[in-house]
Amino acid sequence: MAKKKSESDVSVTAGGGAGDAPAKPYVVLARKYRPQTFDDLIGQETMVQTLRNAFASGRIAHGFMLTGVRGVGKTTTARILARALNYETDTINQPTIDMPAPGRHCIEIMESRHPDVIEMDAASNTGVDNIREIIESARYRPLSARTKVFIIDEVHMLSKGAFNALLKTLEEPPGHVKFIFATTEVRKVPVTVLSRCQRFDLRRVDVPRLAEHLKSIVANEGASADDDALVLIARAAEGSVRDALSILDQAISTSFGGAGGGTVTAASVRALLGLADRGRIFDLLELLVTGEIAKALAALDALHHDGADATQILADLAEAVHVTARVKAVGPDAAGEGLALDEKRRASALGDRLSMPLLARLWQMLLKGLEEAGKAPNPLAAAEMVLIRIAHTADLPPPDEVIRMLGGAPATRRDGVPAQRAPERTGADVTAEATASDNEAPARFQSENPADFDFTADPSDDEAADEDDVRPAAAAGVSLRPLTTFAEVVALVGDRRDAKLKIALEEQVSLVRYDGAAGAIDLFLLPGAAPDLANDLREKLNKWTGRRWIVALSKTPGERPIGEVRRERAAQEIAALKRHPAVAAVLEAFPDAEVTPVPLKPRERDDDSATG
């Protein structure tokens, strides 16, 4: 990475360095170390190389769309691009990416005060009148620079009318005009605008690269910081360079206390951001998976007392679960960048003890707990309830063991040896067991070691299962036929003699998605469909199949209705049949004759004949 120039290197108004006069105002790090050339940009090598090739070959577009999250350099890149388009020195008088020294227009462009580089914030200038001013200004040649550049920040905030007013000028602008747009919500920009621009997606800067960048800035500032502290800042910034510099600025002020001296440490950064010690987070996770509720709550109280936010603790726990699952899946060496060696070691050790289904269960419960804590009036109490729920769930028997206790298929141990199957039970045995005391259930479930079995499902679902969902599959009236397609679902509805629901599924719904293995159906209701059709289908499928189904409604249509497709296919078959010479001769001899489909008699399931 090239050494980054600060604004003070090219601007007479910037200040804040160690040798500046006291009268000059302090310039925050995010402004002081704002990139001035393409070489100063970090993490955007692909975009820089594409622009370098375009400038070298003279294939410079008239419109650019810069997208990305906040703080990755969209506006800065727009200014650097405007500077490159208007770069001019005593020896260079053409657009160029290489700008070793400030040109005649560079300082004014980078300070956003050049008359030929017009910056507009679309968030406060959203109307058609603002775009009309741009269109009118685009007619006139630049005053002093080579190219007139319009930079529109947060372009997605423009109104529909403003976008439409801009289209013609954007498609065929004058030769001396360039447009550069920047947005964090590219999906809100009309496709008609995107198609007229070259799009560049500015990437998040990864943690190691960003930490190294912060380290160089700390050295330039004459400060000192621990590597772990810089990694914490880079991780908290989530790929945003501006966010990282803002946090670093605050961390230096906190550590120095305004008097100089001191070092930015990981502890001070955690206290500043309300983060918990990663080692203590793994300790808390180990307490939860072993079911030690009292110690886990005490650890939570200690973290909260030390300044960690309760909601952030849950987020850190979720991140620890994710790291553990990733290490277990791909190994410590490929688990991801930005992880300390101790984190990889602890995650690897924890992954050896926990199954992947259990980690997935913990992840889901923590995500739901984060949502609850965010809405709760007391986030700490909500976090405690989440931990209690997780601790109680950790030592529950796996679902395959529950099935074995109910007389289902034999469970499989982790060593590959099938668990001993329960003996066949008679009706009297089932009745006697059903009337046994509830206090005997925990003893039965604890008779086997839960660690010997794989977790294959999540028994901690907070939603109560319907009575029909938990009935054995062999119960009377339950269909064991697999439903691999939506057409088979409609056929099952017909077999159950529910004509009203069958007609609705054939004529009044559009299938968006069907997943028979997961029991998920997404439907789009056509005009005339009953509002409660999805709920009616879900309840009946639960009852008829002995399993749980999820029937959701989509806002966008999918496939055509089954009935419409069937009628169209029948019409095509009849039309093809009419073109047959023999049939055509009959129709010619008997003009009033009609060709109509004949319903086929359903073939019995045991009938292997090929005829219907």
Side-chain angles (χ1 to χ4, degrees):
M1 179 183 67
K3 184 178 179 181
K4 185 175 297 301
K5 300 180 181 66
S6 67
E7 285 188 357
S8 58
D9 296 331
V10 297
S11 173
V12 296
T13 61
D20 290 338
K24 290 186 177 181
Y26 174 70
V27 179
V28 297
L29 298 181
R31 288 185 55 197
K32 183 177 180 180
Y33 292 94
R34 168 171 275 177
Q36 304 296 312
T37 67
F38 285 106
D39 293 334
D40 296 339
L41 292 173
I42 61 172
Q44 313 301 337
E45 288 78 8
T46 302
M47 179 195 68
V48 173
Q49 184 61 44
T50 302
L51 290 175
R52 183 180 300 278
N53 296 338
F55 273 66
S57 60
R59 305 173 66 89
I60 304 176
H62 62 263
F64 300 88
M65 180 70 67
L66 306 177
T67 72
V69 299
R70 83 261 176 241
V72 294
K74 298 182 297 297
T75 304
T76 299
T77 301
R79 292 177 181 175
I80 297 175
L81 187 55
R83 178 187 173 189
L85 290 169
N86 290 301
Y87 190 71
E88 183 180 350
T89 64
D90 294 337
T91 58
I92 301 176
N93 190 19
Q94 63 181 3
T96 178
I97 291 294
D98 300 316
M99 298 173 286
R104 292 189 176 91
H105 312 285
C106 293
I107 295 178
E108 290 82 1
I109 291 176
M110 296 307 296
E111 293 179 355
S112 188
R113 55 185 178 87
H114 196 284
D116 294 325
V117 178
I118 299 95
E119 291 192 28
M120 188 186 84
D121 179 19
S124 55
N125 299 275
T126 62
V128 177
D129 293 338
N130 305 113
I131 298 300
R132 285 174 180 168
E133 294 179 4
I134 292 179
I135 297 174
E136 183 67 20
S137 176
R139 297 169 52 193
Y140 302 99
R141 298 193 63 83
L143 297 177
S144 59
R146 181 187 308 110
T147 304
K148 180 173 286 189
V149 181
F150 294 95
I151 300 176
I152 303 181
D153 203 1
E154 300 300 334
V155 68
H156 66 275
M157 300 291 288
L158 290 178
S159 64
K160 182 179 180 181
F163 275 123
N164 292 334
L166 183 62
L167 288 180
K168 184 61 177 177
T169 304
L170 179 60
E171 183 174 12
E172 298 177 353
H176 59 271
V177 172
K178 304 290 184 184
F179 289 95
I180 305 176
F181 304 130
T183 178
T184 56
E185 298 286 344
V186 70
R187 291 176 295 179
K188 296 182 180 180
V189 179
V191 179
T192 51
V193 174
L194 291 176
S195 65
R196 290 166 167 82
C197 303
Q198 283 190 1
R199 173 176 168 177
F200 293 94
D201 295 330
L202 277 69
R203 302 177 180 178
R204 297 176 186 264
V205 183
D206 54 23
V207 173
R209 183 77 175 275
L210 188 52
E212 189 66 25
H213 178 59
L214 297 178
K215 187 175 182 179
S216 64
I217 291 178
V218 169
N220 291 339
E221 290 293 304
S224 60
D226 296 339
D227 292 342
D228 292 342
L230 298 180
V231 170
L232 282 176
I233 294 175
R235 187 181 294 148
E238 297 180 345
S240 171
V241 182
R242 183 176 62 227
D243 288 3
L245 292 176
S246 299
I247 298 173
L248 177 63
D249 212 342
Q250 188 176 359
I252 292 177
S253 300
T254 301
S255 301
F256 277 57
T263 301
V264 179
T265 62
S268 63
V269 173
R270 290 193 185 96
L272 176 66
L273 300 177
L275 301 176
D277 185 2
R278 302 277 289 186
R280 297 171 68 181
I281 288 294
F282 275 100
D283 292 339
L284 177 57
L285 182 58
E286 290 180 355
L287 292 174
L288 291 176
V289 297
T290 55
E292 301 184 38
I293 302 177
K295 293 182 179 180
L297 294 181
L300 173 65
D301 290 338
L303 289 170
H304 187 265
H305 182 268
D306 291 341
D309 181 71
T311 306
Q312 186 62 45
I313 293 174
L314 293 180
D316 291 342
L317 276 173
E319 185 178 358
V321 170
H322 167 257
V323 170
T324 302
R326 185 174 176 84
V327 169
K328 185 179 180 66
V330 300
D333 295 335
E337 300 175 338
L339 291 180
L341 293 178
D342 184 66
E343 294 178 18
K344 293 182 179 180
R345 179 186 58 81
R346 298 202 62 176
S348 179
L350 196 59
D352 292 339
R353 296 170 49 191
L354 305 178
S355 67
M356 191 62 76
L358 177 57
L359 290 172
R361 180 196 309 174
L362 295 176
W363 171 261
Q364 293 293 337
M365 296 180 70
L366 286 168
L367 286 186
K368 187 171 184 180
L370 273 171
E371 182 181 356
E372 294 175 357
K375 298 178 180 178
N378 186 351
L380 179 60
E384 289 180 349
M385 292 303 299
V386 173
L387 298 191
I388 292 173
R389 187 190 311 159
I390 292 176
H392 274 291
T393 304
D395 59 356
L396 287 177
D400 56 350
E401 171 65 5
V402 176
I403 295 175
R404 188 186 68 82
M405 297 299 297
L406 294 175
T412 302
R413 300 172 66 95
R414 286 180 179 169
D415 54 6
V417 179
Q420 184 177 0
R421 183 184 178 92
E424 296 294 334
R425 300 177 297 172
T426 63
D429 295 332
V430 175
T431 304
E433 186 173 4
T435 57
S437 173
D438 291 340
N439 294 331
E440 297 178 3
R444 293 205 317 272
F445 285 112
Q446 296 174 4
S447 62
E448 293 284 344
N449 183 10
D452 290 336
F453 300 94
D454 280 329
F455 292 87
T456 58
D458 186 356
S460 62
D461 194 349
D462 297 326
E463 299 180 359
D466 296 336
E467 181 180 356
D468 294 323
D469 294 341
V470 297
R471 295 194 310 172
V478 175
S479 174
L480 300 179
R481 182 176 60 185
L483 303 177
T484 57
T485 64
F486 183 65
E488 294 181 358
V489 172
V490 178
L492 176 62
V493 175
D495 293 342
R496 296 291 175 165
R497 309 289 185 181
D498 195 330
K500 180 179 179 181
L501 179 58
K502 184 174 184 293
I503 293 175
L505 295 179
E506 290 179 343
E507 305 292 343
Q508 299 173 347
V509 301
S510 171
L511 178 65
V512 178
R513 185 178 70 94
Y514 180 80
D515 188 346
I521 305 175
D522 290 353
L523 299 176
F524 175 79
L525 297 185
L526 299 176
D532 59 344
L533 188 148
N535 187 52
D536 185 25
L537 176 62
R538 178 186 61 82
E539 292 179 353
K540 290 179 178 178
L541 284 179
N542 290 344
K543 180 179 180 181
W544 293 339
T545 63
R547 55 177 293 198
R548 174 172 297 179
W549 288 79
I550 300 176
V551 183
L553 294 180
S554 175
K555 295 182 179 180
T556 57
E559 302 175 2
R560 291 189 299 163
I562 293 178
E564 179 182 334
V565 174
R566 184 173 59 245
R567 287 191 297 271
E568 180 179 333
R569 185 183 300 115
Q572 293 175 352
E573 293 176 353
I574 291 177
L577 186 60
K578 288 181 178 180
R579 292 193 295 268
H580 191 276
V583 178
V586 173
L587 293 177
E588 184 178 358
F590 301 94
D592 295 334
E594 295 182 358
V595 180
T596 58
V598 178
L600 299 178
K601 179 181 178 181
R603 184 164 53 91
E604 298 294 336
R605 298 187 183 276
D606 296 334
D607 183 9
D608 295 332
S609 63
T611 60

